[in-house]
Amino acid sequence: MDRIAAADLFAVAWSAGWLDAVVVSVYLGATFWLGLRASRVLRGKPDNEEDYFLAGRKAPGWINGVSYAVTLVNADVAPAYCGMAVVVGLPVAWFYMSRFGLALLLAALLFAVKWRQLGIRTGPEFFSLRFGGRSSRGVRMYSSIYSVCIGTIPWIGAGLLGVHMIFAPLLGIESKAVTLLLVLPVMVSYVWISGFAGVLATDVMQTGVILAANAGILVAVLWEFGGPTGLAAAIEQRLPEHAAEILSLTPVPGHRVFGPLIVGAWAIVSTIGVGGSVAFEGQRIFSCKSAREAATVGVWCEIALFAMLALLTLPTLGVLVHHPELYLADPAVRETAYGLLLAEYLPAGFLGLALAALLAAVMSTVAGHINYGSQTLLNDVCRQIWPELSDGRAVLWGRLLTLVILALSIAVTSFSDSLVGIAVVVTGLAGSALTFSWGQWWWWRANFWSWCAATIGGPGIYFALGRLLPLTEWWQTEAAAGPAAQQGLDILLAVLAMGTTTLLWIGVALATPPESMETLLAFYRRARPLGLWKPVRLAWAAQCAQNAPSEATAAPPRLAIVSGIGVAVLGAAWIALATLALSSLTTGMYGKAATLTAMAVPLALAFLALFRWHVRRLERQETR
């Protein structure tokens, strides 16, 4: 570290209030102690690979769901979502509702039971069952490396960038290197020592810290303006031309950043294919103590996630009153809004709590992603090359792999400036092939060659369209509106790439032979997939009738996919209504808040009953 960086680091430490420093230190100490304690009590044998990476498969669904939620709330979420909130207003709720509302519940209702009952350790291990021959080994290794490079590393890098974007205006840090020196030593030691059980235990505590900090900020904002009606009045006074857009509960048509078209585009690329493949969230499903508990992970995740995001974005309205110029700001400028929120509204001590919440978001994401990344590289790459690895040596290798993943994530941080930009690019690359994730579960004809078409051809189509579409006149006209409009076009590009890739892989599947019937029968016996598997199901029934009449031959529950989608829509609806009710309450629209709440409660009760009914249907099929 050069002299300038060292001086900056010293200045930051000196200028921070002692009370804030005490709060952050207490939080870090509690997190470290809890992670170490959990790893000793819950993880089991320290040199056992399954105990270390899956907490002995004994975790309850609600803990896994809360852990999944807080892992999604990376440090990049605060500047990215608050940056979106200052240019959108209350309709920012539709940003996370479109991204997660239906997606998490579809994964819970259609796939979680199936994944848990496979008994595998990682998502890529699925391909050892689904595809036959040497191709399954290659697909498994490629999928592992791809998920780490496209999923794990960019999101850790985005989290570290998010920390810097908050610390920069709050503590006057200009160098990213200084920010990393402040947070990395604690994170590295925590991830190295704690196994997955430690990750789960600390994630629950970190969720509480984040909720408390964000709720405190919201109270501080409302206190300054004399309550919800005062906040709404201040927005109308400071931004009279845009107040109606900011206080709308629905996306405004024609909005320069986030109109209904972009909401639909985000919903498509974030929902299609979800659940058919798993990455770090797979650890939460595989570590559950039962298939029923695994199905609850997505529900608990969505409830916890929406509570954190709503309490995070609503206080940003106060920043908008003080800085109305942010409403028309470009992405790199608007993403400093959260740092301004902390600097302007929180006194000593409470600021330390907010910084602790920031560190909670970073540590949960880094711990979850690095633990998963090292697990899948170990299980799906290293063990394929060196199958004789003992458990003790495998755990050591896994720990060393965490350092490699972290180093690559730092490189992402060094070359990135916009958080939403990272999300859009990663979504476009991964999303182009996501429809195959459903195809591999729901259609027996999906094979290795169609996987190649989707996985390799998808990103190629994404990049090709990215070069061709900007040559059109319409695209150029829209892009001329500025960087914010360009990000909207990027998400539309992802939708077009997804549609084109889907046509490609379906065509390849029809033009090439399916996997061997022996492979398909073995997979069907273990997974009992839903969807279009009639030829395999009939072959399995005939085989059982001849050789093992006592084997389960029952067909999947009738219309299970349709009923699962229906229950998921119902769940997404009540959670969305509850979220909008909180938005209404925060801005003094008490009548609307009461109406939305009255609509949400009966839908929530109906969802609970139908959720249990649907999961029981899937469980009965598996246990006959």
Side-chain angles (χ1 to χ4, degrees), residues 541-549:
Q543 187 180 92
C544 288
Q546 181 178 0
N547 301 322

Side-chain angles (χ1 to χ4, degrees), residues 46-373:
D47 59 349
N48 182 279
E49 185 178 346
E50 188 158 298
D51 285 348
Y52 184 82
F53 286 113
L54 292 176
R57 300 188 192 265
K58 297 178 294 184
W62 76 267
I63 290 181
N64 270 309
V66 172
S67 172
Y68 184 12
V70 76
T71 303
L72 289 172
V73 182
N74 198 353
D76 67 301
V77 167
Y81 278 68
C82 289
M84 181 68 73
V86 292
V87 297
V88 175
L90 292 183
V92 72
W94 291 86
F95 184 46
Y96 52 87
M97 288 193 300
S98 63
R99 296 189 66 189
F100 303 110
L102 187 57
L104 291 172
L105 296 181
L106 284 178
L109 285 153
L110 296 177
F111 295 101
V113 169
K114 302 295 182 181
W115 280 113
R116 177 60 181 85
Q117 293 186 331
L118 282 177
I120 57 181
R121 293 181 175 180
T122 62
E125 190 175 342
F126 167 88
F127 295 109
S128 294
L129 307 176
R130 183 63 176 82
F131 299 146
R134 295 182 178 179
S135 62
S136 63
R137 182 181 179 186
V139 172
R140 182 175 175 179
M141 295 175 67
Y142 175 88
S143 298
S144 173
I145 296 171
Y146 185 84
S147 68
V148 171
C149 292
I150 299 300
T152 299
I153 291 172
W155 290 124
I156 295 174
L160 298 177
L161 178 60
V163 174
H164 176 69
M165 285 187 168
I166 295 171
F167 277 22
L170 191 63
L171 300 177
I173 300 176
E174 295 184 2
S175 171
K176 292 177 183 177
V178 175
T179 302
L180 296 178
L181 287 172
L182 285 171
V183 299
L184 281 182
V186 174
M187 288 191 296
V188 170
S189 60
Y190 169 72
V191 173
W192 182 276
I193 294 174
S194 177
F196 186 61
V199 172
L200 293 177
T202 54
D203 278 353
V204 173
M205 185 192 76
Q206 288 160 351
T207 301
V209 171
I210 293 172
L211 287 172
N214 292 343
I217 297 173
L218 179 58
V219 170
V221 170
L222 294 176
W223 181 271
E224 177 185 349
F225 294 99
T229 55
L231 176 59
I235 292 173
E236 292 172 349
Q237 181 180 1
R238 292 286 285 168
L239 296 105
E241 297 181 358
H242 306 293
E245 297 177 349
I246 295 170
L247 299 177
S248 172
L249 290 179
T250 57
V252 179
H255 193 279
R256 71 184 189 90
V257 175
F258 195 67
L261 182 62
I262 302 302
V263 172
W266 269 115
I268 291 172
V269 299
S270 300
T271 302
I272 299 297
V274 71
S277 60
V278 292
F280 77 93
E281 73 275 16
Q283 278 187 305
R284 275 76 187 169
I285 295 173
F286 302 144
S287 65
C288 281
K289 56 186 178 182
S290 69
R292 180 174 298 187
E293 291 289 328
T296 67
V297 170
V299 180
W300 283 108
C301 175
E302 184 156 330
I303 294 172
L305 178 63
F306 278 33
M308 287 186 282
L309 292 178
L311 291 175
L312 170 69
T313 54
L314 287 171
T316 314
L317 296 174
V319 174
L320 193 56
V321 173
H322 290 299
H323 303 276
E325 70 279 2
L326 289 177
Y327 188 73
L328 301 176
D330 290 335
V333 176
R334 75 192 191 208
E335 288 176 356
T336 63
Y338 186 65
L340 294 172
L341 180 67
L342 299 186
E344 295 177 359
Y345 282 98
L346 293 186
F350 287 97
L351 178 58
L353 180 62
L355 292 177
L358 167 64
L359 291 176
V362 175
M363 292 171 67
S364 64
T365 299
V366 170
H369 279 77
I370 286 185
N371 189 267
Y372 161 75

